[in-house]
Each structure stands twice: as C-alpha cells, then as structure tokens.
Coordinates of all heavy atoms in Angstrom, one line a residue:
I1 N 0.9 -1.2 0.0 CA 0.0 0.0 0.0 C 0.9 1.2 0.0 O 1.8 1.4 0.8 CB -0.9 0.0 1.2 CG1 -1.9 -1.1 1.1 CG2 -1.7 1.4 1.3 CD1 -2.8 -1.3 2.4
Y2 N 0.6 2.2 -0.9 CA 1.2 3.5 -0.9 C 0.2 4.5 -0.6 O -1.0 4.4 -1.0 CB 1.8 3.8 -2.3 CG 2.9 2.9 -2.8 CD1 3.1 2.7 -4.1 CD2 3.8 2.3 -1.9 CE1 4.2 1.9 -4.6 CE2 4.8 1.5 -2.4 CZ 5.0 1.3 -3.7 OH 6.0 0.5 -4.2
D3 N 0.6 5.5 0.2 CA -0.3 6.7 0.3 C 0.6 8.0 0.4 O 1.7 7.9 0.7 CB -1.2 6.6 1.6 CG -0.4 6.2 2.9 OD1 0.8 6.5 3.0 OD2 -1.1 5.6 3.7
S4 N -0.1 9.0 0.1 CA 0.6 10.3 0.0 C 0.8 10.9 1.4 O 0.1 10.6 2.4 CB -0.1 11.3 -0.8 OG -1.4 11.7 -0.2
D5 N 1.9 11.8 1.5 CA 2.1 12.4 2.8 C 0.9 13.2 3.3 O 0.7 13.4 4.5 CB 3.4 13.3 2.7 CG 4.6 12.5 2.6 OD1 4.6 11.3 2.9 OD2 5.6 13.0 2.1
S6 N 0.2 13.8 2.4 CA -0.9 14.7 2.7 C -2.1 13.9 3.4 O -2.9 14.6 4.1 CB -1.4 15.5 1.6 OG -2.0 14.6 0.5
V7 N -2.2 12.6 3.2 CA -3.3 11.8 3.8 C -2.8 10.8 4.7 O -3.7 10.1 5.3 CB -4.2 11.2 2.6 CG1 -4.7 12.3 1.7 CG2 -3.5 10.1 2.0
K8 N -1.6 10.6 4.8 CA -1.1 9.5 5.7 C -1.5 9.6 7.1 O -1.5 10.7 7.7 CB 0.5 9.6 5.7 CG 1.1 8.4 6.4 CD 2.7 8.5 6.3 CE 3.3 7.3 7.0 NZ 2.9 6.0 6.3
G9 N -2.0 8.5 7.6 CA -2.6 8.5 8.9 C -4.1 8.9 9.1 O -4.7 8.7 10.1
R10 N -4.6 9.3 7.9 CA -6.0 9.8 7.9 C -6.8 8.9 7.0 O -8.0 8.6 7.2 CB -6.1 11.2 7.6 CG -5.5 12.2 8.5 CD -5.8 13.6 8.2 NE -5.4 14.0 6.9 CZ -6.2 14.5 5.9 NH1 -7.5 14.6 6.2 NH2 -5.7 14.8 4.8
F11 N -6.3 8.6 5.8 CA -7.0 7.8 4.8 C -6.4 6.4 4.7 O -5.3 6.2 4.9 CB -6.8 8.4 3.4 CG -7.4 9.8 3.2 CD1 -8.0 10.5 4.3 CD2 -7.5 10.3 1.9 CE1 -8.6 11.7 4.0 CE2 -8.1 11.6 1.7 CZ -8.6 12.3 2.8
T12 N -7.3 5.5 4.5 CA -6.9 4.0 4.3 C -7.5 3.4 3.1 O -8.7 3.5 2.9 CB -7.4 3.2 5.5 OG1 -6.9 3.8 6.7 CG2 -6.9 1.8 5.4
I13 N -6.7 2.9 2.3 CA -7.2 2.2 1.0 C -7.3 0.7 1.3 O -6.5 0.1 2.1 CB -6.3 2.5 -0.2 CG1 -6.9 1.9 -1.5 CG2 -4.9 1.9 0.1 CD1 -6.2 2.4 -2.7
S14 N -8.3 0.1 0.8 CA -8.5 -1.4 0.9 C -9.2 -1.9 -0.3 O -9.8 -1.1 -1.1 CB -9.2 -1.7 2.2 OG -10.5 -1.2 2.2
R15 N -9.2 -3.2 -0.5 CA -9.9 -3.8 -1.6 C -10.5 -5.1 -1.2 O -10.0 -5.8 -0.3 CB -9.0 -4.0 -2.9 CG -7.9 -5.0 -2.7 CD -6.9 -4.8 -3.9 NE -7.5 -5.3 -5.1 CZ -7.0 -5.1 -6.3 NH1 -5.8 -4.5 -6.4 NH2 -7.6 -5.6 -7.5
D16 N -11.7 -5.4 -1.8 CA -12.3 -6.7 -1.6 C -12.4 -7.3 -3.0 O -13.3 -7.0 -3.8 CB -13.7 -6.4 -1.0 CG -14.4 -7.8 -0.7 OD1 -14.1 -8.8 -1.3 OD2 -15.3 -7.7 0.2
N17 N -11.6 -8.3 -3.2 CA -11.6 -8.8 -4.6 C -12.8 -9.7 -4.9 O -13.2 -9.8 -6.1 CB -10.3 -9.8 -4.7 CG -9.0 -8.9 -4.8 OD1 -9.1 -7.7 -5.0 ND2 -7.9 -9.5 -4.5
A18 N -13.4 -10.3 -3.9 CA -14.6 -11.0 -4.1 C -15.8 -10.1 -4.5 O -16.7 -10.6 -5.3 CB -15.0 -11.7 -2.8
K19 N -15.7 -8.9 -4.2 CA -16.7 -7.9 -4.6 C -16.3 -7.0 -5.7 O -17.0 -6.1 -6.2 CB -17.2 -7.0 -3.4 CG -17.9 -7.8 -2.3 CD -18.3 -7.0 -1.2 CE -19.0 -7.7 -0.1 NZ -19.5 -6.8 1.0
N20 N -15.0 -7.2 -6.2 CA -14.5 -6.4 -7.2 C -14.6 -4.9 -6.9 O -15.0 -4.0 -7.7 CB -15.2 -6.6 -8.6 CG -14.7 -7.9 -9.2 OD1 -13.9 -8.6 -8.7 ND2 -15.1 -8.2 -10.5
T21 N -14.3 -4.5 -5.7 CA -14.4 -3.2 -5.1 C -13.2 -2.8 -4.4 O -12.6 -3.5 -3.6 CB -15.7 -3.1 -4.2 OG1 -16.8 -3.5 -5.0 CG2 -15.9 -1.7 -3.7
V22 N -12.8 -1.5 -4.6 CA -11.8 -0.9 -3.8 C -12.4 0.3 -3.0 O -13.3 1.0 -3.5 CB -10.6 -0.3 -4.7 CG1 -11.1 0.7 -5.7 CG2 -9.5 0.2 -3.9
Y23 N -11.9 0.5 -1.8 CA -12.5 1.5 -0.9 C -11.4 2.6 -0.6 O -10.2 2.3 -0.5 CB -13.0 0.9 0.4 CG -14.0 -0.2 0.1 CD1 -13.6 -1.5 0.1 CD2 -15.4 0.1 0.0 CE1 -14.5 -2.6 -0.1 CE2 -16.3 -0.9 -0.3 CZ -15.9 -2.2 -0.3 OH -16.8 -3.2 -0.5
L24 N -11.8 3.7 -0.2 CA -11.0 4.7 0.4 C -11.7 5.3 1.7 O -12.7 6.0 1.6 CB -10.7 5.9 -0.5 CG -9.7 6.9 0.0 CD1 -8.3 6.3 0.2 CD2 -9.6 8.2 -0.9

C-alpha cells in the first residue's frame, strides 16, 4: 500500500476482490 504524505494517517485504502471493489 502506498499513500501520500498529505493523507497519511487519515486515509486508508483497501480492496475486496470477491466484490471487485476498492475503498478509500
């Protein structure tokens, strides 16, 4: 997982491959 300095610690990316969905 990569995230930018501006959102680090506040935003989280994840994905559910069974649902073909990515979240923020």
Side-chain angles (χ1 to χ4, degrees):
I1 295 175
Y2 296 153
D3 51 29
S4 68
D5 290 340
S6 63
V7 306
K8 187 177 180 63
R10 300 188 298 119
F11 292 8
T12 302
I13 189 171
S14 62
R15 66 190 291 169
D16 185 338
N17 291 341
K19 297 181 178 180
N20 284 4
T21 301
V22 62
Y23 304 96
L24 185 68

